[in-house]
Amino acid sequence: MKKLYVLAISVFAAGLATAQVSLSTVTANQGNPVLTSQSKVLIDKADNGGFGVAPKTKKTVTARGLNQKAFVRIGSTYYDLQTNYAMPHRLAMHTDGAISAAWTTSTSDAVGFPGRGSGYNFRSAAGKWQPSDSNRVENVRTGWANVGVLSNGSVFTIGHDATSGGFYMTTSSSASSRPTTVTNILKEPPYKPIWARTANNGDAIHLICSYTDSAAPGEARAPKRNGVFAPMVYSRSKNGGVTWDKQHTSLPGFDSTLTNSGGADQYTIDVKGNTVAIVNADMMQGVIAWKSSDGGNTFTRIIVDTFKYAPWTGNQLMNDTPFTNDGTCDVIIDKNNKLHVFWGLSRVLDTDTTDESYSFYPSYQYMMHWSEATDKTSIIASGASFDSDGDGVNKMEQSTYAALSSGAVPSGLSTVARLGNTSCMRQPSSAMDANGNIFCLYSIPVELDISDLGANFRDIGIVYSTDGGATWSESQNVTQVIGKEDDFASTCRVADGFVHMHWQQDEIAGTNLQNNSANFGNHPVVLNLINYQAIPVSEILAGTIGIASVDQP
C-alpha cells in the first residue's frame, strides 16, 4: 500500500485575489513531511459514536451580508461524514418545482451508528418543507444517499449496504409521499460495491460506484479489472430500477495506463437527455471524463487534466511538485450538451524512490474549471477572497489541514480537521439556469473564525459565470455563520431563479468519523443540522451577498 506524506505549511493559502489566474503564478511552500494513515481505497467503518456531548459555547463575532433567517432546518444527523471526497447532488427538482432532499442520517449516537440510512424531506411547489426529520427511509442500515425523481413523479433513494455490498433502492408511491418500498439491487458477490452516485433522466437511472478494500486478510471484497484494483464501475436501469441491463461494467480506457487502484467517492455523474457524463479524479491519476451521447450504450473517454506521472508506480521522482487534483470533483452538462468539469487543485512531491511514499500540499486553496467547448482549464476561485486581515492570504491554522496519525492527534495540536487527502478549498457542487449561467459552490475554511481547539471553521463559497465558463465572478460566502462548521454543500443541478442548496452544520471543526481520536476525544459525536436555502440568482449575479469575513480583532 502506498504511503502518503503531508507537507505541513503553517500559513500557506491562495495568494491571488483575482478570480482567474494562471497556474504559472501559483507557488508552493515546502515544509516538513508528516506521515498519514489515510489509504486510497477505504472501508466503510463506523468505529466512533456512543459518546455524544453538548457543544461548547463559542465566541460571538458579527456576521454580515446574508439573511440567515432564510436558512431552513430540514433534518439532522449524528453521523457526520457525508462523503469521503466528492459531494453527490442530493437535491432533486420535480417538474412543478417541488424539491426532494436526501442525506446520510443517524438518529442516534450509538457506537457503529446502527440506525444509519438515507434521510429524506420534501418541499412542495409552494415552497413548504415537511417537518424536519432525521429518520431513515429504509428498514435496514445504509449509507451514502442518492435521490431522484422518476417519470411518474415518484421519488427514489439509493444507499449502499456496507455489510455485504450492493444497494437498497427505496421508492415512494407519489411525488409528495415519503419513500418506503425497499428493494435490494446490484449485488455482486463475492465483491462489495458501495459508494454510489446516481443521475437519472426519467426512468433511465445511471449509477457509478467503487468497491471497499478487504476488511480481512484473503477476503475478496474488491476486484481487479484491467489492471485497476477496486475500480469505478457503471450500471444502468431503463425502467426505474426494476431491472438493470448494465451491471458494474468497466468504462473504456479506465485501466492500468491511468492508475493501479480506484478510490472511494472520487467521481461524479450527470445526465441530460441521452447525454451522460462521468468524471473520475485522483491525485495520482488526473481528471478523466467519459461521455455518452446514446444514453449509456457507449462511452468516449476524455482526458480533462493530465497528471504527468500517471500511471503512478510508487517509485518516481517528482521534484518539480506537479499540479494535480485533490479527488473532489463535479460535472454538469450545458444546453449544448457540452461538459463543464470542476475540481479542487492540489500539488505533490516525491524526492525519494526507495519506497512508495509521496507528499502533498493540503492547504491549497484553488478551484478549477474545464470547458469541453473550449478545451480550456482555468482557476475560478481562490482562498485569497476570504482574507480577513488585509494581507492577501486566507491563513489556515495547522489543525485545519492536519489529519490523525495512527489514530492520534499529532504532537503540539489539540485537534485535526482535514477530510481525507483533500485540499483546504474542496468539493465543488455546480448548478445551471435556463439562461446558461453556471454556479459553483465549494467548501472553504475562513481565516480568524477559529474553534476553541485551534482549527478554522468552514463556510460555503460560490462563484458564477455568465458566458459559458469563459470568465468567472469573484467569490461570495453563502453561509457566513461564525463559530460553526458549514460543510458538505450539495446543490440541485437546476437553478430556477434560485440556487438550491443544502449542507451540514455543527459546532466542531472537522468530522467525528475521520478526525476524532478515541484517546483524545477532540471531536465527540454531536447533533449535526441539515440546512437548506434557496439563494436568489439575482442577488448572486448582483454580488450583494458578498464575503462578510469575520470581524478583525
Side-chain angles (χ1 to χ4, degrees), residues 126-467:
K128 183 177 178 58
W129 282 96
Q130 294 175 351
S132 174
D133 194 343
S134 60
N135 294 301
R136 66 188 182 191
V137 299
E138 306 93 348
N139 54 9
V140 292
R141 187 181 189 275
T142 72
W144 273 242
N146 295 267
V147 65
V149 180
L150 299 173
S151 60
N152 63 0
S154 64
V155 178
F156 71 87
T157 65
I158 291 178
H160 71 226
D161 177 355
T163 302
S164 58
F167 306 92
Y168 287 99
M169 181 173 180
T170 310
T171 55
S172 70
S173 59
S174 66
S176 60
S177 61
R178 186 177 177 86
T180 55
T181 302
V182 182
T183 306
N184 198 196
I185 61 171
L186 295 174
K187 297 189 75 67
E188 191 187 6
Y191 304 125
K192 188 178 176 184
I194 57 177
W195 293 308
R197 298 291 188 275
T198 67
N200 71 294
N201 175 32
D203 293 339
I205 304 174
H206 307 268
L207 182 150
I208 53 176
C209 66
S210 184
Y211 297 84
T212 186
D213 201 346
S214 176
E219 189 173 6
R221 294 267 181 115
K224 188 173 186 178
R225 294 177 181 154
N226 299 321
V228 181
F229 176 68
M232 178 190 72
V233 290
Y234 168 74
S235 301
R236 180 185 68 182
S237 173
K238 293 182 176 180
N239 54 12
V242 177
T243 60
W244 296 79
D245 66 322
K246 290 180 177 287
Q247 298 191 27
H248 308 305
T249 60
S250 298
L251 292 170
F254 190 50
D255 54 33
S256 57
T257 64
L258 291 175
T259 186
N260 52 36
S261 62
D265 295 330
Q266 295 177 307
Y267 37 77
T268 184
I269 186 170
D270 190 23
V271 61
K272 184 179 178 65
N274 285 323
T275 302
V276 183
I278 296 170
V279 170
N280 186 290
D282 182 82
M283 192 176 285
M284 294 289 105
Q285 165 196 286
V287 181
I288 315 298
W290 286 265
K291 184 178 180 180
S292 173
S293 300
D294 55 14
N297 291 328
T298 60
F299 283 91
T300 300
R301 191 185 75 172
I302 304 170
I303 306 297
V304 173
D305 189 63
T306 60
F307 178 63
K308 64 184 296 184
Y309 295 100
W312 174 252
T313 65
N315 300 106
Q316 296 161 275
L317 285 175
M318 298 188 296
N319 291 318
D320 54 341
T321 60
F323 290 107
T324 184
N325 68 85
D326 74 341
T328 69
C329 57
D330 196 26
V331 63
I332 196 166
I333 304 167
D334 68 21
K335 61 183 179 182
N336 297 316
N337 292 322
K338 297 295 184 179
L339 276 55
H340 295 266
V341 181
F342 305 84
W343 65 93
L345 184 67
S346 188
R347 205 163 189 172
V348 292
L349 169 71
D350 192 0
T351 60
D352 181 4
T353 60
T354 61
D355 59 23
E356 295 186 350
S357 66
Y358 62 96
S359 304
F360 82 108
Y361 298 87
S363 57
Y364 251 61
Q365 299 175 45
Y366 295 94
M367 190 56 57
M368 308 299 295
H369 166 261
W370 173 83
S371 165
E372 181 188 9
T374 63
D375 193 26
K376 291 183 178 179
T377 301
S378 58
I379 294 175
I380 63 173
S382 75
S385 297
F386 295 83
D387 168 40
S388 294
D389 59 11
D391 64 358
V393 176
N394 185 35
K395 292 190 291 293
M396 298 291 99
E397 303 298 315
Q398 185 178 349
S399 292
T400 307
Y401 53 83
L404 296 177
S405 177
S406 301
V409 174
S411 176
L413 301 180
S414 297
T415 192
V416 296
R418 193 175 80 231
L419 177 72
N421 293 321
T422 62
S423 298
C424 273
M425 181 180 280
R426 54 169 166 79
Q427 292 179 322
S429 189
S430 58
M432 186 173 295
D433 67 13
N435 294 321
N437 297 317
I438 310 170
F439 307 90
C440 180
L441 296 170
Y442 55 85
S443 176
I444 179 71
V446 177
E447 183 180 31
L448 301 184
D449 190 9
I450 302 171
S451 74
D452 55 356
L453 294 181
N456 298 81
F457 285 112
R458 288 182 169 272
D459 274 332
I460 307 300
I462 191 170
V463 290
Y464 67 86
S465 174
T466 59
D467 54 14

Side-chain angles (χ1 to χ4, degrees), residues 47-80:
D47 294 333
N48 287 327
F51 43 90
V53 299
K56 297 180 180 180
T57 301
K58 304 294 188 293
K59 67 177 183 179
T60 300
V61 186
T62 304
R64 307 173 300 281
L66 186 75
N67 178 19
Q68 295 173 359
K69 293 181 180 179
F71 296 178
V72 181
R73 174 179 170 176
I74 62 173
S76 60
T77 176
Y78 283 98
Y79 187 90
D80 65 357

